[in-house]
Amino acid sequence: VASEPESVAVSVQVPEAAAQEEQGTPDLSQEPTVALEEGRMPPSVAAPAPSTPPQQSQVHWVAEVWIDPEWYQSQSSAAQLPSPGLPRVVALHGQQNLIGRESRSRNVNPDIDCDPDTGVSRRQAMLSTDGSRWYVEDLGSSNGTYLGQADQPLPTMPISGRSQVGADDRIYVGSWTRLVVRPALPSEVSL
């Protein structure tokens, strides 16, 4: 024969009532004793809800870093061209992203590292956004920063000042590096 669980009276101090009792004014509107079934926690003493881990910010924009043989031929560089292949995709975080090459001794850590292209300055250019448009600005690099459209001949004049990067624009730096700024694909939002 199964027996019903016994009720056990447990005295539970409700936080607001406890604070008022310390001040000498008990709150009579709240019941200080709660009858519970054995093994159950009173509602005011229940375990806190599990905390959810902080969500990582989703990537909305990326830069494709390409090895461009056509740009390399136009630069007449003495450096040997690496094998072209698929681009390296770099997430663009924040409103400013430095394009360049890493230098531990100079404490330069670019967001878009263009190594091993030695034609790229350590601090080559800055990509910046206002939230909907992207801009590129040369930072006094040795070889300049160029901006051109995909369906046009390669640019021959470096940019001066800040230039808006359009949807079909390509940024050319160094001896062979081409960058394309584009919205992230669904598979890239967690980069």
Side-chain angles (χ1 to χ4, degrees), residues 48-130:
S51 62
T52 56
Q55 289 197 0
Q56 294 179 336
S57 62
Q58 289 190 337
V59 173
H60 298 285
W61 293 90
V62 296
E64 294 178 350
V65 182
W66 292 83
I67 295 171
D68 188 328
E70 189 179 357
W71 180 248
Y72 174 76
Q73 287 179 344
S74 73
Q75 296 306 297
S76 305
S77 175
Q80 186 173 350
L81 178 70
S83 296
L86 294 176
R88 183 169 42 93
V89 178
V90 179
L92 299 178
H93 296 285
Q95 292 185 312
Q96 293 189 325
N97 291 267
L98 177 64
I99 300 169
R101 289 186 305 121
E102 182 179 22
S103 172
R104 291 182 189 180
S105 64
R106 295 179 188 162
N107 197 27
V108 177
N109 300 298
D111 302 294
I112 304 169
D113 191 350
C114 297
D115 196 48
D117 187 343
T118 57
V120 176
S121 295
R122 301 288 180 191
R123 294 179 44 80
Q124 175 76 33
M126 184 66 72
L127 266 177
S128 59
T129 184
D130 63 5

